[in-house]
């Protein structure tokens, strides 16, 4: 099952958890300190010219740039090609780059350089010198993502160049396949016939699951031999899956259960941000959990409660991931999921809990309006060292008279030594909408 499918299946499992949020007190103090300032010099970026395909009047380059400290000034990362009378430049990006310089002079020496500026002027990160010459062959000139990077399926445009001046090839083809995180082999190969005049082709419907795409440019020569003219590999955009689902909405709190993903070898931090009218109300940072090496899914559930909220107010929850992209080594921040939630109205009520030998008589009356609720409920939880588990529960409809809502019911004492009684208002049309108005814990011997 794919990571995306596992993620969707897991989201459907709605379970109530206890909150993990702690409340801390702040102390205001006046402190005199001596500060020693240390100036950190960013680490120099690195670049490598991985491959040059040289032809009569053009070259195809493949370059990888690493900038782990984000030291490169924006728009200063370039590739430069020159000789005594010519100069060409193209912009580059951090990570892998493939491109082409055309209309070059035949049988001429050129120097190609990768340059970047981190504040002290252009710095040469890598260079090579070569000479153009006439040869038979072909090369990939670029790959371009045509879809939005967060689409479930991705489409790519691949550029190519064929040079066969001596008619050495009787046919040409593209062969590509995919390498998934869970398998070391390249799978799902496809073959596309092409002609000598083709300059591009498409790879469509690539699953956006951190897949490595392997592409081969092949020719069949006059001896019926398959010749590999060029090879290219690239990865789909780095993608994280994370979400949350609501456990409870009350008049003064919102409780959510998170389902974040923690891939191996990725520096990653999640934040859950609570907003009201574009103003940040609270922000919780999730610590990365420990897990066994055999737990290859690396997901976990966490329950978070935001309390002290205002009744009948719309809030927005945003799940944010801060991480270092393992492909480019660049620090990135991505909003994974958001949802707007309106808290319930605060009920005005009176409750009596009358304990008898057999159980508890509950008498509740509530004033108008009561738009957020349509019933009362009780629930009994069995308490144990492993947590609280629902033992029994029941809902009751309102009775309206004397300009109030009323209900009276009886709860028999359970045959449990340790339990918790919970009573509240609820919306029977939406199980997450409820407000607790009474809780009691009981510890007694089993009768």
């Amino acid at each position: 099952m794919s990571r995306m499918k596992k993620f969707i299946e897991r989201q459907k499992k709605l379970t109530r958890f206890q909150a993990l949020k702690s409340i801390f007190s702040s102390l205001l103090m006046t402190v005199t300190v001596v500060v020693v300032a240390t100036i950190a010099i960013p680490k120099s970026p690195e670049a490598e010219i991985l491959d040059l395909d040289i032809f009569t009047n053009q070259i195809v380059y493949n370059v990888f740039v690493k900038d782990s400290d984000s030291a490169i000034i924006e728009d200063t990362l370039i590739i430069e090609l020159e000789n005594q009378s010519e100069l060409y430049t193209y912009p580059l990006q951090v990570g892998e780059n493939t491109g082409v310089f055309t209309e070059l002079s035949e049988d001429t020496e050129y120097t190609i350089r990768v340059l970047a500026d981190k504040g002290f002027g252009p710095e040469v990160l890598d260079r090579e010198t070569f000479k153009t010459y006439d040869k038979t062959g072909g090369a990939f000139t670029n790959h371009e993502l045509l879809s939005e990077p967060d689409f479930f399926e991705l489409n790519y445009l691949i550029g190519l160049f064929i040079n066969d001046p001596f008619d050495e090839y009787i046919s040409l083809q593209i062969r590509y396949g995919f390498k998934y995180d869970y398998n070391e082999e390249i799978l799902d190969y496809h073959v596309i016939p092409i002609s000598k005049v083709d300059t591009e082709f498409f790879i469509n419907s690539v699953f956006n699951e951190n897949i490595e795409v392997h592409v081969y440019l092949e020719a069949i020569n006059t001896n019926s031999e398959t010749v590999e003219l060029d090879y290219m590999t690239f990865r789909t955009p780095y993608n994280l899956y994370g979400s949350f689902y609501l456990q409870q909405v009350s008049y003064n709190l919102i409780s959510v259960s998170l389902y974040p993903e923690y891939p191996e070898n990725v520096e990653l931090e999640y934040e859950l941000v609570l907003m009201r009218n574009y103003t940040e109300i609270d922000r919780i940072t999730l610590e990365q959990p420990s897990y066994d090496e055999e737990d290859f899914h690396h997901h976990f559930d966490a329950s978070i409660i935001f309390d002290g909220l205002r009744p009948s107010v719309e809030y927005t929850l945003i799940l944010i991931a801060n991480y270092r992209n393992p492909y480019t080594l660049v620090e990135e921040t991505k909003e994974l999921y958001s949802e707007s939630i309106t808290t319930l109205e605060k009920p005005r009520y009176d409750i009596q809990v009358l304990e008898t030998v057999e159980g508890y008589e509950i008498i509740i009356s509530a004033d108008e309006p009561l738009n957020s609720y349509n019933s009362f409920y009780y629930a009994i939880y069995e308490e144990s060292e492993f947590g609280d588990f629902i033992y029994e529960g029941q809902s009751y409809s309102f009775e309206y008279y004397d300009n109030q809502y009323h209900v009276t019911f009886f709860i028999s004492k359970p045959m449990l030594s340790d339990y918790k009684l919970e009573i509240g208002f609820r919306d029977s049309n939406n199980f997450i909408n409820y407000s607790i108005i009474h809780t009691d814990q009981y510890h007694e011997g089993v009768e």
Side-chain angles (χ1 to χ4, degrees), residues 98 139-144 157-161 199-201 232:
T98 301
F140 296 115
T141 57
N142 71 293
H143 68 276
E144 178 185 353
L157 172 66
I158 312 296
L160 58 89
F161 166 75
T199 58
E200 61 184 32
F201 67 97
M232 175 175 63

Side-chain angles (χ1 to χ4, degrees), residues 126-171:
D126 198 10
R127 75 171 73 200
E128 280 194 29
T129 299
F130 64 91
K131 190 174 184 179
T132 56
Y133 65 98
D134 197 14
K135 76 167 184 179
T136 299
F140 296 115
T141 57
N142 71 293
H143 68 276
E144 178 185 353
L145 176 61
L146 303 178
S147 314
E148 292 296 324
D150 56 352
F151 280 10
F152 180 62
E153 290 187 342
L154 305 175
N155 299 323
Y156 286 90
L157 172 66
I158 312 296
L160 58 89
F161 166 75
I162 305 295
N163 190 47
D164 185 20
F166 310 113
D167 293 327
E168 298 181 27
Y169 305 143
I170 59 175
S171 65

Side-chain angles (χ1 to χ4, degrees), residues 80-124:
E80 177 183 273
L81 182 69
E82 72 166 344
N83 62 12
Q84 293 182 345
S85 59
E86 300 170 82
L87 176 64
Y88 310 95
T89 61
Y90 284 129
L92 298 178
Q93 61 184 7
V94 174
E96 188 173 359
N97 299 261
T98 301
V100 58
F101 286 101
T102 60
E103 300 182 1
L104 305 183
S105 301
E106 183 179 351
D107 196 27
T108 302
E109 186 174 281
Y110 289 88
T111 298
I112 188 168
R113 302 181 186 89
V114 179
L115 301 101
D117 188 349
K118 61 174 186 177
F120 308 101
E123 177 182 342
V124 178

Side-chain angles (χ1 to χ4, degrees), residues 1 71 167 235 238 412:
M1 181 182 294
D167 293 327
R235 301 200 66 132
Y238 185 68
S412 298

Side-chain angles (χ1 to χ4, degrees), residues 399-418:
E399 291 185 16
Y400 185 76
Y401 56 87
D402 296 335
N403 296 320
Q404 282 189 315
Y405 298 95
H406 301 269
V407 68
T408 300
F409 55 91
F410 186 82
I411 306 171
S412 298
K413 289 184 176 179
M415 300 294 289
L416 300 172
S417 57
D418 301 295

